[in-house]
Amino acid sequence: MDKIRIRGGRPLHGSIAVGGAKNAALPLMTASLLTDETLVLKNLPILADINTLCNLLLQHGVGIRMEGAGGDCAGRVVELTARDITNTTAPYDLVRKMRASVLVLGPLVARCGQARVSLPGGCAIGARPVDLHIKGLQAMGAEIELEGGYMVARAPNGLRGAEFVFPKVSVGATENLLMAATLAKGETKLINAAREPEVTDLAHCLVAMGADISGIGTDTLRIRGVERLHGATHRIVSDRIETGTYVMAAAITGGRLEITNTSIGLIQSAVTVLEQAGVEFSPTPDGMIVSRANGGLVGVDVMTEPFPGFPTDLQAQMMALMCTAKGAAMITETIFENRFMHAPELMRMGASITVHGASALVRGRERLTGAPVMATDLRASVSLVLAGLAAAGETIISRVYHLDRGYEQLEAKLAACGADIERLTDDD
Ligand code: EPZ
């Protein structure tokens, strides 16, 4: 299995282009199931998770054409055509590889009146049930039974509009119900819906496909179902988590990075916290310039929350940053119940972290030291990369396949800015 070796202590200087958002691209690709015409998505990131979803969509009968896969992200295009859906089963083998596969459930039931989608099973960061996806579709008239590890959904006469109040904010359930509601009979009202930029991006694409949606960007979405959707061309929003990760790479190494093909507005809550911690931002027409203030970093408290709050997907990176700040930082995770798996690994690099339930108290240290470490999920892995970039000596990170799920060309982008980072394959 591949590993990443980092020799730390070099400030990063240069420019990094951010790609399209993985977590927007995945639901957008499943939206292609809602129409028999072609959906064209631009700014596509090339990632393992995108490949996994391509394989799932192919076996549903979707035709897929990709252009510019070798070039930079902005020039990348995928064309998805679900002229005939030949199979409405999403098998365990594919769903267990990637939970976002459950996003085919809403579109398949809405378009075909049936779907059989494997339950995703356990996850490293928490139990992550899909009960809200199921309850929402049931409210829209779908009959759903659990059979042999599968959600078997039927709506032979189509879905009907309904009012559904999310008892808890869920990005994936909002996306599934939003897509399903576009083809339901009558009006659907989703209350306490997720407002993440990826949900908003999906809603804009659905409108371009002919859907009737109001309240986009708020926590109440009204969807008036239409007879059919048509093809459209849509540019995938930039990846705010990749953006925030490179912001923290500049800060933790004491360097200065220009981050392009993105927007500071996508990470406003993180910018507010990071400015308090001593990170300086200047906006540019297509992104921002980031550097660490002269006085160095100071500890700040952070709590993860649904958008527009501080994103859980930047919590691990923030923890790595706080490990090198002056003073203490209390980091509280409110979205997932088991998302501190990176803490013991950071401690192997000399960090001082005490975890009490949903909070972690980080006491900053002058310097981390390199060590062999291992990660359990995508964001935990990248937090170890950040720690390695700042640490004295050599860090070897194993299980890097997690990184390939969500960070395109991570080593190349960092190395171009002066990082001493390389991938070791089994042959090395
Ligand atoms: C999305 O996951 C993202 N994934 C996650 O990114 C992200 O961490 C998460 O949203 C929160 O922002 C994609 O977009 C593909 P949720 P999702 O439903 O939709 C509970 C990454 O690193 N819940 O908003 O699965 C759930 O257990 C990943 O890129 C229910 O209880 O997250 C969690 O505690 C990791 N019942 C909370 O809600 C449900 O039916 C929020 O989960 C659904 C969710």
Side-chain angles (χ1 to χ4, degrees):
M1 240 183 267
D2 290 2
K3 294 185 167 81
I4 283 182
R5 178 170 64 203
I6 301 171
R7 295 190 182 98
R10 294 164 162 237
L12 299 185
H13 286 277
S15 177
I16 294 184
V18 165
K22 165 184 82 91
N23 289 346
L26 297 171
L28 285 166
M29 288 169 72
T30 66
S32 68
L33 292 165
L34 291 164
T35 173
D36 59 0
E37 294 183 14
T38 300
L39 176 64
V40 180
L41 298 174
K42 297 181 168 178
N43 200 33
L44 181 81
I46 300 291
L47 300 164
D49 276 9
I50 300 293
N51 284 343
T52 304
L53 187 60
C54 282
N55 289 334
L56 181 62
L57 293 175
L58 282 170
Q59 64 90 54
H60 289 311
V62 180
I64 304 182
R65 213 165 70 91
M66 238 183 244
E67 267 176 35
D72 66 4
C73 214
R76 274 270 197 63
V77 176
V78 63
E79 293 179 10
L80 303 132
T81 313
R83 200 167 310 287
D84 299 303
I85 293 176
T86 49
N87 170 19
T88 54
T89 294
Y92 179 56
D93 267 359
L94 288 170
V95 180
R96 79 183 160 82
K97 272 197 188 165
M98 188 185 68
R99 305 180 60 81
S101 306
V102 300
L103 293 171
V104 300
L105 179 65
L108 285 175
V109 187
R111 168 118 177 250
C112 310
Q114 61 174 45
R116 197 170 155 267
V117 176
S118 171
L119 284 161
C123 178
I125 61 177
R128 301 183 77 183
V130 287
D131 56 319
L132 301 178
H133 302 240
I134 295 175
K135 283 186 187 132
L137 287 171
Q138 284 171 331
M140 294 169 73
E143 288 166 20
I144 305 188
E145 279 165 40
L146 301 182
E147 287 171 13
Y150 280 75
M151 299 176 271
V152 181
R154 290 183 194 88
N157 302 316
L159 296 171
R160 52 168 197 271
E163 181 168 305
F164 187 73
V165 183
F166 290 95
K168 171 175 203 173
V169 178
S170 164
V171 174
T174 301
E175 291 166 342
N176 235 337
L177 299 188
L178 174 62
M179 288 190 278
T182 59
L183 292 180
K185 291 186 192 83
E187 182 174 295
T188 299
K189 195 170 169 190
L190 301 177
I191 300 167
N192 197 26
R195 287 180 281 168
E196 270 62 7
E198 296 76 22
V199 176
T200 299
D201 200 38
L202 173 64
H204 285 308
C205 178
L206 291 169
V207 168
M209 294 167 73
D212 183 350
I213 305 171
S214 57
I216 296 175
T218 75
D219 62 0
T220 304
L221 294 168
R222 274 175 199 273
I223 307 108
R224 280 163 292 270
V226 295
E227 203 62 35
R228 61 184 297 273
L229 295 182
H230 51 72
T233 297
H234 177 82
R235 181 190 182 278
I236 300 167
V237 67
S238 298
D239 196 316
R240 65 195 167 104
I241 306 302
E242 190 187 11
T243 304
T245 302
Y246 290 127
V247 163
M248 300 212 212
I252 202 168
T253 62
R256 184 174 187 275
L257 286 179
E258 180 180 11
I259 305 178
T260 63
N261 194 35
T262 185
S263 134
I264 207 161
L266 285 172
I267 54 161
Q268 195 49 58
S269 58
V271 169
T272 305
V273 169
L274 289 167
E275 280 180 337
Q276 288 165 18
V279 182
E280 290 178 345
F281 291 85
S282 41
T284 60
D286 73 336
M288 67 206 79
I289 293 172
V290 192
S291 59
R292 189 160 82 187
N294 282 340
L297 296 171
V298 292
V300 287
D301 295 348
V302 179
M303 184 185 285
T304 64
E305 284 171 328
F307 191 85
F310 189 94
T312 174
D313 291 344
L314 284 177
Q315 180 260 110
Q317 299 89 315
M318 186 69 191
M319 187 180 286
L321 190 66
M322 291 295 94
C323 288
T324 63
K326 271 190 223 104
M330 179 72 87
I331 298 184
T332 305
E333 171 60 53
T334 70
I335 310 291
F336 293 110
E337 65 273 20
N338 192 28
R339 210 174 195 184
F340 284 143
M341 304 288 271
H342 40 281
E345 298 299 309
L346 290 169
M347 286 159 74
R348 302 196 63 255
M349 300 176 70
S352 165
I353 306 170
T354 314
V355 176
H356 292 287
S359 293
L361 178 65
V362 183
R363 292 187 180 86
R365 288 271 158 93
E366 184 102 1
R367 202 87 215 250
L368 297 173
T369 47
V373 286
M374 194 169 72
T376 42
D377 75 278
L378 170 58
R379 311 302 172 188
S381 310
V382 89
S383 77
L384 299 174
V385 171
L386 295 182
L389 291 173
E394 183 176 280
T395 297
I396 306 254
I397 303 166
S398 23
R399 301 206 175 161
V400 296
Y401 56 86
H402 290 298
L403 286 170
D404 298 332
R405 294 186 58 176
Y407 290 92
E408 184 173 348
Q409 303 271 329
L410 178 84
E411 309 98 90
K413 287 183 183 182
L414 291 170
C417 295
D420 184 344
I421 179 168
E422 67 177 321
R423 186 175 289 238
L424 309 174
T425 60
D426 284 339
D427 309 329
D428 289 312

